[in-house]
Amino acid sequence: MIFAFDNYVLDTGRRELRRGHTLVSVQPQVFDLLEYLIRNRDHVVGRDDLLDAIWGGRIVSESTLATRINAARSAIGDDGESQRLIRTLPRKGIRFVGEVREDFVGLRELATRLDPEELRTVIGACHACCYQAAARWDGSVARLADDGATIHFSLFGI
């Protein structure tokens, strides 16, 4: 999944944050924090939610949490004073408030990112998934292509 906001792109598949065409270096927990906030941007995320999602429920000090939040803000050109993208709501939690556009990586774009052998593996996995879905719901695969499949299912056992 690709999330575009402000002048940034967060690519969860590649685990990359980019500003324009420049790769922004972030620690793994900072990346996870950004991804979690963006995916949950429709509501305020509390401290316990963050601890469960990012640290697997481990006990983490307030300073560690604050350090990661500040690092996330810094990575996306935000800060604790302006809070343009990551807003703190006192005694409630934090929320990603920037406008986000979500993009799924399409096959054509994926083809430009992978070498031919990797792409063949991905397409093979997609085809296997089609066969599994057809078998699970008593269907039959009529046609497979690099960019999709046609699967026939009967309606109500007809």
Side-chain angles (χ1 to χ4, degrees):
M1 177 72 80
I2 295 175
F3 298 100
F5 57 93
D6 208 29
N7 192 27
Y8 293 87
V9 173
L10 186 78
D11 185 335
T12 62
R14 294 181 129 187
R15 291 193 56 83
E16 290 179 348
L17 175 65
R18 292 188 175 276
R19 180 171 190 252
H21 294 292
T22 305
L23 187 63
V24 178
S25 178
V26 292
Q27 296 174 331
Q29 283 182 335
V30 173
F31 185 92
D32 293 342
L33 176 63
L34 275 171
E35 180 181 359
Y36 186 78
L37 290 174
I38 290 171
R39 286 186 186 274
N40 292 279
R41 65 189 178 277
D42 61 333
H43 63 275
V44 175
V45 175
R47 180 184 189 283
D48 291 340
D49 295 329
L50 288 175
L51 294 179
D52 286 342
I54 309 304
W55 285 274
R58 291 190 309 266
I59 296 173
V60 174
S61 71
E62 290 296 325
S63 66
T64 297
L65 184 57
T67 299
R68 294 302 187 276
I69 292 169
N70 289 336
R73 282 185 171 131
S74 178
I76 58 175
D78 199 2
D79 60 55
E81 189 165 321
S82 65
Q83 298 187 19
R84 292 178 315 103
L85 299 171
I86 299 174
R87 187 163 299 151
T88 299
L89 291 101
R91 292 178 298 285
K92 299 292 181 195
I94 60 175
R95 182 172 173 222
F96 190 90
V97 295
E99 187 174 322
V100 177
R101 190 182 83 244
E102 295 182 27
D103 292 324
F104 292 96
V105 177
L107 185 61
R108 292 192 200 306
E109 183 180 346
L110 187 60
T112 65
R113 293 182 178 194
L114 301 177
D115 68 44
E117 189 58 38
E118 289 175 318
L119 183 59
R120 195 172 300 113
T121 301
V122 169
I123 292 170
C126 290
H127 289 175
C129 185
C130 291
Y131 279 108
Q132 289 172 356
R136 181 173 180 181
W137 288 288
D138 296 324
S140 62
V141 176
R143 177 176 114 19
L144 291 173
D146 288 347
D147 62 349
T150 303
I151 305 174
H152 294 248
F153 298 95
S154 62
L155 183 61
F156 305 110
I158 298 174

